[in-house]
Amino acid sequence: MSVFRRQPVCRLHPLALAAIATVLAGAAQAQDAAPAAAGDQITAPKALDSVTVSGSRESASTRLQLTARETPQSTTTVTREQIERQSLTSIDAVLRNVNGVAVSFYDTQRPLYYARGFQITDFQIDGLPSYSSSTNQEFDTALYERIEVVRGANGILTGVGVPSATINMIRKRPQRELAASVALTAGSWNLYRGELDINAPLNKDGSVRSRLVLAPQKKDSFRDRYSEDKTALLAAIEADVGSSTVVTLGYQRQANEPKAPIWGTIPRFAVDGSPIDLPTSVSFSPPWTRWERTSGTLYATLEHQLNDDWSVKAALNHTEGDTFSLRTYGYGRTVSLAPFINPTTGAGTTLYAAVGGASEKQDTVDAYLSGKFDLGGRKHDLMVGVSSTRIATRTDGYSSVANWSYVIPNIYTWDGNAPEPVYSKTGAWRTQITQQTGLFASARWRVAEPLSLLTGVRLTDWHRHNDTYGTTGAYAGKSAVQDENRKVTPYVGAVYDITPTLSAYASYTRIFNPQNYKDRNNNPLSPVIGSNAEAGLKAELLDRRIQAHFAVFQTKQDNYGVRDGAITTPLPDGTLPYVAVNGTRSTGFELEFAGMATNQWRVSAGLTRAKVTRAPTDLIYANLPEYLLQLGTDYQFAGALAPLSVGGNLVWQSSVEGFNIPHPSGTVTVKQSPTAILGLRASWKFSPKLSATLAVNNVTNKKYWANLDYGNYSDPRNVSLTMRAAF
């Protein structure tokens, strides 16, 4: 038997950080003051600062320097402060707190995120494509300063993709001053996590500086036998070269090693057709199953200020990632039959196995020029850039495990014991090459004092093909060649300042996505065309302490490939034909506001309605609510309770339906009632540099389905306690 192994980047047990936490906490206390004697008065921490986030920042959709109110699209930024305040340690946790994002998943290693009715597939790091391999919840937030979410199409910077949203994770960067922090977390299901963040100047004036971030984590699960070890690492050096140039060289790596992960669905019905209501702990995975994922990125950036108005930035990324999985799926007597459980004996499930491994190399170069110019007596903004990405994905061949199966005698008493299938690499492999090159530009034209017009365009060349190699390593040929040349992606928007704190906007964006399907005449389908049109209002309220936003939108996909049900005869290459359908669309609105209601009270609220219309044959195996409500609050006490802050979040979604759900009588439609999930938290500051945060998720221990079409349970109630120290 061949076992796929990889060396972990670091084996630092989180408990080892306890000693570091103690030392750093002590150092922090010592730097502040000597221990207080009996009767000494301790100054209470001040109330939450009133922060107004209105400064210009490079837009994640146009790369122009824009404030949120100047951007004619729906955007959300999750800051480092919010990540730590709410104990959001993964991208999955972050997106559960972003207005308009619906979270679901197939199974433990395959999350699903949707915005405006379409799946989010575009995850970036510092504006460049990232390696995710459909396991996006495994991005660890310890490495990032903030998370930016742009809803709708983002074709100028992305090129190919889906008109849902772009998730852009901004890395932490070295700073000039010496600083460090450490956090240690313990929680439900044997969660142990550490975070170490050290920022160190390498010379006296800080012109050469470094940063190291390390975050190891171990965690079991409410699911039987499932556990995961995770380690995230970031190391970077930054230097000022003269007075106008900054160069950065860094490396980040993340390794995830889950054992006994869930693959497939949890049965919903008993053999007699009644709901079986299995425990949330049920799992069809023996302890030898796994679904490992590792990725590492070496990156370099250069920023040069040409003059007061113009600057140039360039970035180079080299990423290597790999996955390996040995999984089991619970079916009925055959893989074409769903499992239906006998409620008395617990029988009815047979396990079948799958094995696979892949590796990927991704190289990206990106450069752009941005600045301001005078025309017609006004200053305008311009950005011009070029990017190129090459991805080589190698999929290894393995001996078949199709003949392996195991009948679970009783799911209620089964301990996970099952014989491990025998497998090995065959020596054959397939490499898929994907190349994308784009020229792009965007501009803000200040047409009049209250009116700005934003325009943009991207010209994209895209290519993909497969190279196949036999068991001896001999080249077996090229296949599945696809080319899309000189594809034009437009962007247009307008922002009108009604008052200094209120603006109206409208925008239209497009994006395309190649698809590897052929029609009944063996002709390839043209790319899917996505678009997003929206209009709305953005305001800064209560002396600009509150940011408010209202938008109406229509998001569409045309020429989307679905199975041609009228044709059952395979094409010459053995695949089945597809047909392109139009009219998949989502219409609705978003309402959002967030900020400081008072100096001590932080509030946020978001309400989204997305009405999705799609072809009956367009099956997405996910269930999206029409309405999604997200509420959040934090309150900083005063007086004797000044060290205490409390807060919470409530996520409510309207009812969802699942179609064609397997049932002993055939297939049925199932419905889940509206669901509300409450999270609470409390923090205590022992000093300005030492604090503890207690967080409770799913406070009411609500049992509900994360997905109906691909049935799996969501997390029950869980608790974590984090100690955080800085010096």
Side-chain angles (χ1 to χ4, degrees), residues 74 76 98-102 114-117 151 549-553 555 586-593 605-612 624-631 652-654:
S74 298
T76 298
V98 172
N99 185 43
V101 176
Y114 282 81
R116 300 185 175 180
R151 293 183 286 281
H549 171 221
F550 174 76
V552 293
F553 61 84
T555 306
S586 171
T587 57
F589 67 83
E590 292 177 353
L591 176 63
E592 182 177 20
F593 69 89
L607 175 64
T608 301
R609 186 213 184 214
K611 179 66 174 178
V612 182
L624 309 180
E626 183 174 346
Y627 290 92
L628 186 63
L629 174 68
Q630 292 162 315
L631 303 175
W652 175 90
Q653 66 177 37
S654 58

Side-chain angles (χ1 to χ4, degrees), residues 90-108 110-120 123 136-137 149 167 621-625 627-630 651-654 656 672 675 677 704-708 710 712-715:
S90 68
I91 290 298
D92 185 79
V94 167
L95 294 181
R96 291 175 185 273
N97 289 268
V98 172
N99 185 43
V101 176
V103 179
S104 179
F105 67 91
Y106 287 148
D107 32 50
T108 54
R110 293 186 296 173
L112 297 172
Y113 309 113
Y114 282 81
R116 300 185 175 180
F118 298 93
Q119 187 176 356
I120 301 174
F123 286 76
N136 300 308
Q137 94 286 0
V149 181
I167 314 300
Y621 297 104
N623 317 102
L624 309 180
Y627 290 92
L628 186 63
L629 174 68
Q630 292 162 315
V651 178
W652 175 90
Q653 66 177 37
S654 58
V656 293
Q672 180 163 272
T675 303
I677 303 301
Y704 67 103
W705 295 90
N707 198 331
L708 300 180
Y710 203 88
N712 268 299
Y713 293 124
S714 284
D715 290 10

Side-chain angles (χ1 to χ4, degrees), residues 373-380 446-447 449:
F373 66 96
D374 292 304
L375 182 65
R378 299 182 184 276
K379 267 195 179 295
H380 310 276
R446 300 182 186 272
V447 179
E449 185 62 33

Side-chain angles (χ1 to χ4, degrees), residues 237-509:
I237 295 177
E238 187 172 279
D240 300 330
V241 181
S243 60
S244 303
T245 305
V246 178
V247 294
T248 305
L249 180 65
Y251 179 73
Q252 76 172 72
R253 183 176 176 86
Q254 186 164 326
N256 294 73
E257 299 178 1
K259 298 177 181 178
I262 295 289
W263 179 44
T265 64
I266 301 300
R268 190 179 187 95
F269 296 107
V271 69
D272 61 3
S274 62
I276 189 64
D277 195 25
L278 291 173
T280 56
S281 61
V282 71
S283 169
F284 296 149
S285 299
W288 41 259
T289 56
R290 54 197 184 276
W291 204 332
E292 302 162 354
R293 171 183 175 271
T294 302
S295 67
T297 298
L298 180 66
Y299 63 95
T301 63
L302 181 147
E303 304 172 48
H304 179 68
Q305 193 72 34
L306 298 171
N307 53 41
D308 289 343
D309 288 334
W310 290 92
S311 64
V312 61
K313 294 184 179 180
L316 178 65
N317 278 10
H318 174 75
T319 298
E320 295 187 8
D322 55 74
T323 61
F324 174 77
S325 63
L326 175 62
R327 317 182 300 275
T328 55
Y329 198 117
Y331 286 101
R333 294 188 306 274
T334 69
V335 295
S336 61
L337 296 175
F340 301 113
I341 306 299
N342 186 312
T344 302
T345 67
T349 304
T350 300
L351 297 185
Y352 298 86
V355 61
S359 60
E360 181 173 295
K361 292 183 179 180
Q362 180 173 294
D363 291 289
T364 300
V365 59
D366 181 276
Y368 62 99
L369 174 73
S370 62
K372 300 178 182 295
F373 66 96
D374 292 304
L375 182 65
R378 299 182 184 276
K379 267 195 179 295
H380 310 276
D381 302 276
L382 177 67
M383 184 278 303
V384 180
V386 58
S387 67
S388 181
T389 299
R390 183 183 187 274
I391 303 173
T393 304
R394 169 175 167 152
T395 303
D396 294 312
Y398 285 83
S399 57
S400 175
V401 293
N403 292 327
W404 183 93
S405 65
Y406 175 78
V407 177
I408 297 178
N410 184 340
I411 190 59
Y412 296 110
T413 60
W414 183 53
D415 62 0
N417 183 50
E420 185 173 351
V422 177
Y423 62 92
S424 61
K425 285 187 177 182
T426 64
W429 77 90
R430 184 185 75 249
T431 300
Q432 183 179 81
I433 305 296
T434 305
Q435 176 82 40
Q436 180 182 186
T437 301
L439 300 173
F440 49 88
S442 61
R444 174 168 61 170
W445 309 91
R446 300 182 186 272
V447 179
E449 185 62 33
L451 177 64
S452 294
L453 179 67
L454 289 91
T455 59
V457 66
R458 180 186 177 101
L459 187 65
T460 301
D461 283 351
W462 183 91
H463 169 85
R464 175 181 288 168
H465 74 268
N466 292 335
D467 289 325
T468 304
Y469 299 83
T471 55
T472 64
Y475 181 63
K478 179 183 294 187
S479 62
V481 179
Q482 295 175 270
D483 284 292
E484 301 292 341
N485 296 317
R486 295 178 294 280
K487 300 291 291 187
V488 177
T489 303
Y491 177 100
V492 62
V495 180
Y496 185 84
D497 292 330
I498 300 172
T499 71
T501 59
L502 175 65
S503 62
Y505 76 91
S507 65
Y508 176 80
T509 59

Side-chain angles (χ1 to χ4, degrees), residues 66 90 127 150 215 235 249 312 357 457 508 539 541 562 579 619:
L66 304 173
S90 68
V150 179
L249 180 65
V312 61
V457 66
Y508 176 80
L541 310 174
V562 298
V579 61
L619 302 177

